[in-house]
């Protein structure tokens, strides 16, 4: 276990100055600021909305932007950026020559990507609360302070995070197979577009396409209209995402382990 934390700490120090690391932090801030400006500019139209409805509209607007396209693209880029550090320096063999278990090295790199995605979702929740109350300070007629959206945020962004696990595993595997940017990104982007189309068309087998899970998650949250009793975190798409993530994670380990003999 200690070797795993050593490897994970190493991933942090290698990645902390990269665009992947800072995009996980700055993207939620930028989107929340832009969305809050939109709500401020439309304050007159929203003034009569009750606080729960106002919060849900604000959260849903950000979920729609993030979940449908930006989350898969962010995962695709972050996965490339983290794995490319080893290709760029040709250090895969050096990594596996260290006195650390191969699984610790592999798992730490994978889980660091999962961690970046989790941080992005967490910061979305934090910045939504901060900007929501900031909107009320600027436009007091928007009564954001009359409702606590914490449970809606936890369920919504927790579910969105879980929906990305399958995509993370697949993109991680693709980046282990190819050391260039275009192949993994191109395949990931095409599958993301396919996921959006099939989810919107309610394709019969869409629950087996991991790249459609964020879209399905957003659609499911929208249908609840903020009713916490209807917001179920673990549905079929989330179970499939976790199963896909686990299976592809194992496959990826056996693939990357072969790099030691090259």
């Amino acid at each position: 276990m200690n070797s795993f934390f050593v490897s994970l700490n190493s991933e942090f120090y290698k990645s902390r100055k990269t665009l992947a690391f800072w995009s996980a932090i700055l993207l939620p801030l930028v989107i929340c600021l832009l969305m809050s400006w939109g709500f401020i500019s439309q304050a007159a139209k929203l003034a009569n909305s009750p606080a729960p409805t106002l919060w849900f509209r604000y959260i849903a607007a950000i979920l729609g932007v993030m979940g449908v396209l930006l989350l898969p693209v962010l995962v695709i880029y972050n996965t490339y950026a983290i794995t490319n550090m080893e290709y760029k320096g040709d250090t895969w063999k050096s990594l596996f020559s260290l006195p650390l278990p191969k699984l610790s090295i592999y798992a730490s790199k994978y889980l660091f990507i999962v961690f970046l995605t989790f941080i992005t979702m967490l910061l979305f929740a934090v910045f939504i609360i901060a900007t929501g109350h900031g909107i009320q300070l600027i436009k007091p007629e928007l009564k954001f302070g009359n409702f606590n959206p914490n449970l809606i945020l936890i369920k919504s962004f927790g579910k969105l995070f879980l929906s990305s696990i399958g995509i993370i595993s697949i993109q991680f595997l693709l980046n282990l197979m190819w050391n260039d940017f275009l192949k993994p990104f191109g395949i990931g982007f095409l599958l993301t577009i396919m996921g959006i189309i099939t989810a919107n068309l309610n394709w019969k087998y869409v629950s087996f396409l991991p790249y459609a899970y964020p879209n399905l998650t957003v659609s499911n949250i929208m249908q609840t209209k903020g009713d916490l009793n209807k917001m179920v975190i673990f549905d079929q798409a989330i179970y499939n995402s976790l199963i896909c993530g686990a299976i592809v994670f194992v496959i990826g380990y056996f693939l990357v382990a072969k790099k030691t003999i090259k």
Side-chain angles (χ1 to χ4, degrees):
M1 182 61 70
N2 184 59
S3 60
F4 168 75
F5 286 111
V6 170
S7 299
L8 191 61
N9 189 52
S10 174
E11 291 301 324
F12 170 75
Y13 279 102
K14 286 189 293 184
S15 307
R16 59 184 176 148
K17 295 183 180 180
T18 63
L19 180 61
F21 182 84
W22 285 104
S23 64
I25 298 172
L26 295 177
L27 183 65
L29 178 61
V30 171
I31 290 178
C32 288
L33 287 175
L34 290 174
M35 199 62 68
S36 64
W37 175 254
F39 268 64
I40 290 170
S41 64
Q42 298 294 318
K45 297 180 180 179
L46 300 170
N48 294 325
S49 300
T53 302
L54 202 57
W55 271 113
F56 184 70
R57 289 185 65 174
Y58 188 47
I59 294 169
I62 294 174
L63 278 173
V65 171
M66 186 61 193
V68 175
L69 182 61
L70 289 185
L71 177 59
V73 171
L74 181 67
V75 167
I76 291 168
Y77 175 76
N78 285 349
T79 308
Y80 164 77
I82 299 304
T83 55
N84 186 58
M85 290 189 295
E86 312 307 338
Y87 285 117
K88 188 185 296 182
D90 195 22
T91 56
W92 278 111
K93 190 171 183 179
S94 299
L95 273 178
F96 285 124
S97 66
L98 295 173
L100 296 171
K102 297 181 180 69
L103 182 58
S104 295
I105 297 171
Y106 171 76
S108 65
K109 190 169 289 291
Y110 173 83
L111 288 177
F112 187 73
I113 300 168
V114 174
F115 172 74
L116 285 181
T117 308
F118 173 78
I119 287 296
T120 300
M121 297 297 102
L122 177 62
L123 288 177
F124 263 112
V126 171
F127 290 144
I128 284 174
I129 293 173
T131 53
H133 289 289
I135 292 171
Q136 184 175 359
L137 288 176
I138 298 172
K139 295 290 184 179
E141 62 269 30
L142 299 180
K143 306 296 183 180
F144 277 94
N146 294 347
F147 180 74
N148 186 340
N150 290 352
L151 283 178
I152 295 177
L153 286 168
I154 291 171
K155 286 192 172 185
S156 297
F157 284 95
K159 186 170 184 176
L160 193 59
F161 164 70
L162 294 175
S163 74
S164 70
I165 298 298
I167 302 176
I168 292 173
S169 295
I170 294 173
Q171 286 300 135
F172 194 52
L173 177 60
L174 293 176
N175 279 281
L176 295 176
M177 294 171 60
W178 294 297
N179 62 359
D180 65 302
F181 176 73
L182 289 178
K183 290 189 187 73
F185 182 85
I187 293 173
F189 189 75
L190 286 175
L191 288 173
T192 298
I193 299 301
M194 185 186 299
I196 294 172
I197 294 172
T198 53
N200 289 334
L201 293 177
N202 293 317
W203 185 43
K204 182 166 60 173
Y205 301 107
V206 70
S207 61
F208 296 101
L209 181 59
Y211 289 79
Y213 298 159
N215 197 309
L216 292 174
T217 296
V218 172
S219 298
N220 181 267
I221 293 171
M222 298 297 187
Q223 290 170 7
T224 66
K225 297 182 179 180
D227 186 345
L228 287 170
N229 295 323
K230 295 180 180 179
M231 295 181 78
V232 179
I233 294 180
F234 291 96
D235 55 19
Q236 190 60 52
I238 298 301
Y239 283 125
N240 289 351
S241 177
L242 296 176
I243 293 170
C244 172
I247 293 173
V248 179
F249 174 84
V250 174
I251 295 172
Y253 170 70
F254 285 109
L255 177 66
V256 78
K258 295 181 180 179
K259 292 181 180 294
T260 58
I261 57 177
K262 291 186 178 181

